[in-house]
Amino acid sequence: MESNASEVSLDLFPYLKVYKNGTLERIAGVEVVPPGLDPETNVLSKDIVIIPETGVSARIYVPNLISEDRKLPLVVYFHGGAFCVASPAFPPYHTSLNKLVAEANIIALSVDYRLVPEHPLPTAYEDSWAALQWIASHKDEDGNQEAWIKDYVEFEQVFLAGDSAGGNIAHHLALRIKESNLGQKLKILGIGMIHPYFWGASPIGPELNDRSRKELVDKWWLYVCPTDKGCDDPLINPFVDGESADLAGLACDRILIIVAEKDILKGRGWLYYDKLVKSGWKGKAEIMETEGEDHVFHIFNPDCDNANRLIKRLASFFNQGKLPFQ
């Protein structure tokens, strides 16, 4: 469509524009790249439909020289994009997952959850939950199964990971799984949260001195989740009542939180870490801050030194749980 076809009613910079005639124009995260063999990393990928009823798909990645007699950890990855843009096929995400799989020697499944506004929240969470149920179904003998998961995954070594909105999704899934039957089938060893998208109505940390960016992030959330709870909706603010007791119910043994010095969300990542440590959760919490960088810098500048360090840190985190014979 022509961008001047009608007057803009909402400019959700830098993600999308909504026009008064109801048309939606996504600006960011719209490019796609096909799966296949990546010559730089020697990682092989393909797209698969995992939930036929809804059409939800995923892009799965494996090291090209994998063999069935050597099972590998599985990282279930949830991309960022403020719940309203991007996909596993977005070139920067495809590049990042190739690099991570090569560095860590793992299997990765990047979930293509459905986006706002066509699919209002909590659809993204429900799609991601359905992906975990689908993965767990591979421990049975029937159903819609994928050979790369059935043949190559070590089911005792499953991790959740995501950047920005994807980190938020991983948090909510880990809370949900412990109280569900799925927790009996799928053991989550750890969560890697990269620049997680948590927020709140009252500013903290760097938000106190950056009013314009605070208002921008407020605007993003109020668009994707227009409830009467606003920026204190529990989906975006896990500490709306100042409590952290729920974190004790996270269904994993280890959590790595990665923040960036210049990211407006940095204070929320540190708050999550502090609350987690004090929550009574029995696992091991780790945090890493990258100096001089902003939000999801590793996605858009994947070859810089700090991006390489971030990928190596994630790879080390995922490999801590590897069985001795691996």
Side-chain angles (χ1 to χ4, degrees):
M1 58 158 260
E2 294 294 329
S3 60
N4 61 355
S6 59
E7 190 176 345
V8 174
S9 62
L10 175 66
D11 187 351
L12 205 69
F13 179 85
Y15 299 119
L16 54 81
K17 291 180 180 180
V18 182
Y19 294 85
K20 286 190 174 179
N21 66 1
T23 304
L24 174 74
E25 180 187 19
R26 283 190 171 85
I27 301 166
V30 295
E31 301 90 349
V32 296
V33 64
L37 179 62
D38 178 57
E40 181 180 336
T41 59
N42 203 29
V43 169
L44 189 62
S45 60
K46 66 179 177 179
D47 291 336
I48 53 175
V49 175
I50 58 176
I51 316 295
E53 297 80 2
T54 59
V56 171
S57 64
R59 181 162 292 189
I60 186 169
Y61 298 80
V62 299
N64 190 31
L65 301 179
I66 194 171
S67 62
E68 289 187 31
D69 59 355
R70 187 184 184 194
K71 306 289 188 181
L72 297 180
L74 172 67
V75 173
V76 187
Y77 193 88
F78 309 99
H79 68 81
F83 297 98
C84 60
V85 299
S87 72
F90 184 46
Y93 278 118
H94 184 66
T95 296
S96 182
L97 266 292
N98 278 324
K99 286 178 176 290
L100 180 60
V101 168
E103 182 67 36
N105 195 34
I106 55 173
I107 312 295
L109 183 87
S110 184
V111 180
D112 193 11
Y113 57 84
R114 290 172 290 173
L115 302 175
V116 171
E118 295 90 342
H119 304 281
L121 294 180
T123 300
Y125 299 100
E126 295 303 324
D127 287 349
S128 300
W129 179 254
L132 292 187
Q133 292 178 309
W134 175 79
I135 291 165
S137 74
H138 286 73
K139 298 183 78 172
D140 303 324
E141 294 302 321
D142 52 9
N144 172 29
Q145 299 198 332
E146 166 55 45
W148 286 7
I149 290 183
K150 191 78 173 177
D151 295 341
Y152 302 141
V153 165
E154 172 52 66
F155 285 98
E156 300 304 311
Q157 297 176 279
V158 177
F159 294 83
L160 306 181
D163 65 281
S164 197
N168 175 302
I169 290 173
H171 157 80
H172 285 287
L173 295 186
L175 282 178
R176 184 173 176 179
I177 195 171
K178 193 165 188 177
E179 302 302 322
S180 74
N181 293 332
L182 187 58
Q184 308 296 320
K185 283 188 173 184
L186 203 60
K187 166 67 174 175
I188 305 297
L189 277 190
I191 307 175
M193 296 183 187
I194 310 158
H195 312 158
Y197 184 23
F198 298 117
W199 203 239
S202 299
I204 65 170
E207 304 158 27
L208 292 165
N209 299 315
D210 197 338
R211 191 173 201 176
S212 62
R213 289 183 80 187
K214 172 71 168 73
E215 291 174 351
L216 190 63
V217 181
D218 286 350
K219 187 177 179 181
W220 297 343
W221 179 253
L222 295 174
Y223 174 73
V224 301
C225 189
T227 68
D228 57 358
K229 297 174 183 176
C231 292
D232 280 336
D233 190 291
L235 288 176
I236 196 69
N237 186 356
F239 314 118
V240 62
D241 297 319
E243 300 295 331
S244 57
D246 283 353
L247 295 182
L250 287 166
C252 61
D253 299 327
R254 292 185 285 118
I255 293 180
L256 170 64
I257 302 155
I258 300 178
V259 298
E261 180 188 9
K262 296 181 178 180
D263 187 359
I264 190 69
L265 301 183
K266 180 181 78 168
R268 303 289 168 174
W270 273 104
L271 177 64
Y272 189 97
Y273 172 78
D274 292 339
K275 295 282 190 181
L276 182 61
V277 169
K278 298 171 184 175
S279 69
W281 176 65
K282 303 301 183 184
K284 179 183 178 183
E286 306 170 55
I287 191 163
M288 167 188 174
E289 180 170 334
T290 307
E291 295 182 0
E293 301 289 1
D294 211 327
H295 193 62
V296 296
F297 72 91
H298 66 295
I299 298 296
F300 295 101
N301 191 12
D303 296 320
C304 72
D305 290 344
N306 280 335
N308 290 329
R309 280 191 280 269
L310 187 153
I311 292 295
K312 287 181 181 296
R313 183 68 185 84
L314 280 172
S316 173
F317 178 75
F318 296 140
N319 280 304
Q320 287 173 33
K322 277 193 175 179
L323 299 175
F325 61 81
Q326 295 178 305

